[in-house]
Amino acid sequence: MKKWGNVFKRNTGLSPFVWIIFYILPFYFIFHSSSTYEIAFGIAMIIMFFICYVLSFVSKGWLVYFWTSLEIAISSAMSLLFGYIYFSLFLAFLIGHLKNKIAFFILYIILLVSTFATVNYGFVTGNRVLITQLPFVFISILAVIILPISTYNKNKEDLLQGKLEDANKRISELVKLEERQRIARDLHDTLGQKLSLIGLKSDLASKLITKDPSRAKSEIYDVQQTARIALKEVREMVTQMRGIKLEDEINHVRQILDAADINFVIEGKPRLSNISLIVENVLSMCIKEAVTNIVKHSKASTCTLKIAPSVNELKVMIIDDGIGIEHINEDFKGNGLQGMLERLEFVNGSLSIESNNGTSIILNVPYTHINEEVTK
């Protein structure tokens, strides 16, 4: 019984006890009839409607539409013979839960036509039972008009909401996966070379410790220095993992360029509202990589950072007046460009490069990702 109750509640949004009340009501109308034959026929109709209603929930495919059509016929018969139109409320809920759009509209129109036809026929023939419950008849007709549409739209909205929640969970998983890959890549870049160097120098020191102690001591000193540098870089990397604010990164960039004697110009506001942490991290890391390339390779005297929000996207341009790039690699390999591209692709961003009297690196991120917060 609990299982069936859950089925009705899940599919109609109403407690099964409410439906029990609606199933008791038709007996009141039936027993007002003076004919034993009509009473027996009415009870059979109620039982048939209940069976068809249950089957319409447990069936699949065309059988759902068959049982629903049979219920409409039974509801019309109950209205004509006994003035009981409230089975149409059952049908309004049931039809509203149909997922097939064409079937929904067809059965909805059939229900409307049959309900209006039977009610008008009852009024024309002077059905006393129908006339005495006139206010409830109008309420039922209004429910038959509104309930299927509202229920269908609500179910559609719930379905979209469910898909959105699944998509957000998937995005959260991808964010974690991307973060793991980034950590692995940064660890490899930071520690891989230095640990290999420490291993080689340690082996060399162990071989020289008896042959050339002074050189072995020098190698051990190099091992210590390399280990300190690696530890410092790991600490910096852990600090960056906590989240890089765009404003903080711009201040850091300004310090780097000042130290390299490169003039820094910023156009636009670095503080952006409704920007997600992941997008801010991606932009900050890309700007840092681009400025590092400028300091190392461009021989520029000025670096300009332009932040230009538009209707659909945020554009960030890092421009220098250096020697430019003679051959732009379309695969973006080398000089950290591949890492920038991978990070931007994760947030549906894009990277383009222009080389004309210097180099311009253009980062584009759509607002669909800027405005959406990803909850980890």
Side-chain angles (χ1 to χ4, degrees):
M1 179 68 184
K2 186 177 180 180
K3 182 178 179 181
W4 284 110
N6 290 335
V7 170
F8 278 100
K9 189 172 182 179
R10 182 175 64 252
N11 285 281
T12 63
L14 294 180
S15 169
F17 300 105
V18 176
W19 292 118
I20 291 174
I21 295 174
F22 280 102
Y23 276 120
I24 294 173
L25 282 176
F27 290 97
Y28 171 81
F29 288 84
I30 290 170
F31 287 120
H32 271 70
S33 176
S34 58
S35 172
T36 305
Y37 172 78
E38 290 181 356
I39 294 174
F41 180 76
I43 293 173
M45 296 278 282
I46 295 171
I47 295 172
M48 285 181 60
F49 186 89
F50 177 77
I51 293 172
C52 292
Y53 197 71
V54 172
L55 290 174
S56 63
F57 281 111
V58 299
S59 300
K60 295 181 180 180
W62 65 271
L63 284 174
V64 177
Y65 314 130
F66 171 77
W67 297 124
T68 305
S69 301
L70 194 57
E71 290 168 52
I72 293 175
I74 295 172
S75 176
S76 300
M78 289 291 291
S79 298
L80 293 172
L81 294 175
F82 305 104
Y84 182 78
I85 67 165
Y86 303 112
F87 275 153
S88 59
L89 297 176
F90 286 76
L91 291 166
F93 277 106
L94 175 61
I95 292 173
H97 285 83
L98 295 177
K99 296 180 180 179
N100 187 290
K101 188 175 182 179
I102 297 175
F104 164 76
F105 281 108
I106 291 175
L107 291 174
Y108 175 59
I109 292 172
I110 292 174
L111 177 63
L112 286 178
V113 172
S114 62
T115 302
F116 277 101
T118 53
V119 169
N120 287 330
Y121 179 81
F123 287 146
V124 170
T125 56
N127 188 316
R128 184 179 58 84
V129 176
L130 197 65
I131 295 173
T132 54
Q133 52 177 335
L134 189 60
F136 300 103
V137 170
F138 285 129
I139 293 174
S140 298
I141 292 174
L142 188 63
V144 168
I145 296 172
I146 296 174
L147 279 180
I149 298 292
S150 62
T151 305
Y152 179 81
N153 290 333
K154 184 180 182 300
N155 289 338
K156 191 174 180 180
E157 182 181 350
D158 291 342
L159 181 63
L160 293 174
Q161 185 65 31
K163 291 181 178 179
L164 179 60
E165 291 176 359
D166 292 339
N168 285 334
K169 290 179 181 178
R170 178 60 178 161
I171 290 172
S172 180
E173 292 173 359
L174 290 173
V175 168
K176 293 176 183 177
L177 178 61
E178 170 66 14
E179 188 65 15
R180 292 191 191 103
Q181 292 176 347
R182 186 179 72 84
I183 293 171
R185 183 169 57 245
D186 291 345
L187 283 173
H188 178 270
D189 295 341
T190 303
L191 295 179
Q193 184 180 5
K194 290 180 176 60
L195 289 176
S196 299
L197 181 61
I198 288 172
L200 291 172
K201 285 187 172 292
S202 297
D203 292 339
L204 181 59
S206 65
K207 293 177 182 179
L208 294 173
I209 196 166
T210 55
K211 296 179 181 180
D212 191 349
S214 62
R215 187 179 172 190
K217 185 177 180 180
S218 176
E219 295 294 339
I220 292 173
Y221 177 78
D222 289 343
V223 168
Q224 292 173 341
Q225 290 298 109
T226 304
R228 290 190 184 97
I229 293 171
L231 180 60
K232 179 183 177 183
E233 291 181 353
V234 168
R235 286 173 176 170
E236 290 176 352
M237 184 179 66
V238 171
T239 301
Q240 290 177 356
M241 288 177 187
R242 295 172 184 169
I244 308 171
K245 300 293 289 183
L246 189 58
E247 287 184 281
D248 295 338
E249 187 59 45
I250 290 175
N251 292 331
H252 183 61
V253 162
R254 189 189 302 276
Q255 294 173 0
I256 293 174
L257 292 172
D258 287 343
D261 199 22
I262 298 175
N263 185 35
F264 180 55
V265 178
I266 181 169
E267 298 180 6
K269 296 180 180 180
R271 179 175 294 182
L272 300 170
S273 58
N274 299 325
I275 181 170
S276 66
L277 180 60
I278 183 173
V279 174
E280 194 165 10
N281 271 299
V282 167
L283 290 175
S284 299
M285 287 186 288
C286 290
I287 292 172
K288 179 180 180 180
E289 186 64 44
V291 170
T292 300
N293 286 340
I294 291 172
V295 172
K296 289 182 177 179
H297 309 292
S298 70
K299 298 181 180 179
S301 60
T302 302
C303 173
T304 302
L305 176 65
K306 293 184 178 181
I307 302 173
S310 63
V311 177
N312 299 319
E313 64 181 8
L314 173 66
K315 178 182 290 186
V316 177
M317 302 177 66
I318 306 100
I319 306 168
D320 68 75
D321 59 354
I323 59 176
I325 301 177
E326 294 182 0
H327 302 287
I328 299 176
N329 191 338
E330 293 182 357
D331 293 330
F332 296 102
K333 293 180 180 178
N335 296 330
L337 295 177
Q338 181 65 33
M340 293 170 62
L341 182 62
E342 289 175 358
R343 290 184 175 101
L344 286 167
E345 285 179 346
F346 182 72
V347 292
N348 280 355
S350 63
L351 169 66
S352 59
I353 301 176
E354 297 177 359
S355 183
N356 185 14
N357 296 325
T359 304
S360 298
I361 296 178
I362 304 167
L363 315 175
N364 292 284
V365 182
Y367 273 122
T368 53
H369 289 273
I370 292 174
N371 295 327
E372 291 176 2
E373 289 289 343
V374 178
T375 302
K376 294 184 179 181

